[in-house]
Structures are given as structure tokens and as C-alpha cells.
Amino acid sequence: MTVRSYKVRAGRLGPDRAADLERLWPAYGVTVGDPLLLPDLFGRSAPVVLEIGSGMGETTVTMAAADPARDVLAVEVHVPGLAALVARVEAARLTNVRVAHGDAVELLAGLPVGSLDEVRVFFPDPWPKPKHHKRRLVSPAFAVLVASRLRPGGLLHAATDWEPYAAGALAVLHASEDFLVEGYAKRPAWRPVTRFEARAVAQGRPSYDLLAFRRPLGAVLQG
């Protein structure tokens, strides 16, 4: 049985958002499991960032607009978030964002080896109860899969407001032979503060950014 790192939550999709999704999906959307060629998807060959769990899309659009030389593929399971994101992409007139609906792990597995410049995992479900820790996205198997899809030197950037999750993710990455780990980093200025993150900080939960770089292929570990 496949263990999912997410739980699909019911969400209301009003008539305007439903109309946006139906109208804009052919231009911006793909379904996980469908054939996917990144240069065809974006209409050009450029470095690609995969954002896992784009939520309502505010951060996705802000970062993509500030980084037009790279393409962003945002994957999300919640339909209201997908609808909000494609509407934001159209409003911002962005050409470097596409949106995928479905399981990010399945999407990663279907991408070519070394095809990604960066993978972002911002504020995944922390699954705080011990019996649910097996559902946390950042796991040893996930680290292996991400490393295989990143180019040498490519970045895995994770952020969470749940300290036990941050500690667990950091341990996973330190144990991996595929990554050079910077450890906890100050929030980069180019990562916007989301409403979710601001609420967490107001409740006394600071955020933790973890940066790990794909080792050069064939690199020998030292020490």
C-alpha cells in the first residue's frame, strides 16, 4: 500500500473559481500521470523549479515573477488552490509557470534524471503524531528520488514552522550521500512570507529553512 504524505481536504470552489479553472487549465495545467516533456510544457528549454504544495499560489507567483529565466512547475492536490493559482498566473501575465494536479512523488518519479534545477518543499504537512511520522514527505526514499531528479549542484529547499519536522528532515539530509547540506539557514530574502507562515510566527512557531545541494556525480565523501 502506498503511504501518502498528504490528506485531500474538502474545499469550496465557487462558480467564479470553477470557471477560471475550466478556462485556464488547458493553457497552464497538467494532470500527474499524463505524458510530460518539460520543454514542450513551457515552450522553451530553461532551468526548471519544482514547487511541491503550492497552496493558494501567492508565493509561487511572486517568486516566478522575480525569476523569469527559470520555469516553475507547481504541483498541488487541492483543487481550490489550483484554481486560485492559475487565476493569479493569468493576472500576472506569467509565461514561466505551469501547474500540476496530483501526487508530487508520482510526478517526480516520471521526470527525467537530472532535469530539475531546484525542488521546493515549503511548509508541508508536519504529521506531528508519532503514528503518522511515516507520512512525512521528507524521508530517506524522498531524498533519493529528489537527488536523482536534480542536476549536480541543484538545490533542495525545504521550509517548515514545525521544529521536530525540521530536525527530522535535517537528519535525513545529513544521512544522505547525495547532498551537501548547509543546515538551517536564515530565511532567504527572495522567499516571501506566506499568510500561513506569518500566522505560525504570531503563534510562537518560528520558521526553519533547510538548504541542501546535489553533490556532483561521482563525488567522494570526505570525513
Side-chain angles (χ1 to χ4, degrees):
M1 181 180 67
T2 301
V3 177
R4 301 292 187 189
S5 64
Y6 57 87
K7 180 179 180 181
V8 178
R9 300 173 179 84
R12 181 177 178 275
L13 190 64
D16 291 342
R17 279 287 184 251
D20 285 339
L21 190 62
E22 182 177 3
R23 177 174 59 88
L24 297 172
W25 193 255
Y28 299 113
V30 295
T31 299
V32 174
D34 289 349
L36 182 61
L37 295 174
L38 295 175
D40 291 347
L41 183 64
F42 291 97
R44 67 173 183 172
S45 293
V48 176
V49 177
L50 177 66
E51 182 178 349
I52 297 176
S54 50
M56 301 305 285
E58 302 101 321
T59 296
T60 308
V61 167
T62 299
M63 295 182 73
D67 192 14
R70 294 198 295 176
D71 293 326
V72 177
L73 177 57
V75 57
E76 178 58 69
V77 295
H78 303 298
V79 174
L82 296 169
L85 176 51
V86 293
R88 286 190 167 98
V89 170
E90 182 192 44
R93 299 182 179 181
L94 297 180
T95 60
N96 65 329
V97 178
R98 298 293 184 270
V99 185
H101 180 213
D103 187 337
V105 172
E106 183 181 348
L107 176 62
L108 269 167
L111 292 176
V113 170
S115 60
L116 299 175
D117 196 62
E118 182 180 344
V119 174
R120 295 172 180 157
V121 184
F122 292 165
F123 302 95
D125 195 322
W127 295 107
K129 295 181 179 179
K131 67 179 181 178
H132 291 152
H133 285 185
K134 63 184 178 182
R135 301 188 69 171
R136 289 178 173 178
L137 179 61
V138 182
S139 66
F142 178 77
V144 170
L145 179 58
V146 170
S148 70
R149 269 48 183 177
L150 282 171
R151 64 166 177 81
L155 173 65
L156 170 59
H157 182 180
T160 179
D161 63 302
W162 191 255
E163 193 279 334
Y165 193 117
L170 187 61
V172 165
L173 294 173
H174 272 307
S176 171
E177 296 184 352
D178 296 318
F179 287 101
L180 293 166
V181 185
E182 280 199 3
Y184 297 143
K186 181 179 179 181
R187 182 185 65 82
W190 39 262
R191 182 176 73 73
V193 177
T194 67
R195 285 179 294 173
F196 177 87
E197 181 181 4
R199 185 167 64 248
V201 172
Q203 293 171 355
R205 296 193 309 276
S207 294
Y208 301 85
D209 281 75
L210 287 75
L211 304 179
F213 294 88
R214 178 68 167 96
R215 289 182 181 272
L217 299 180
V220 178
L221 295 179
Q222 301 292 329

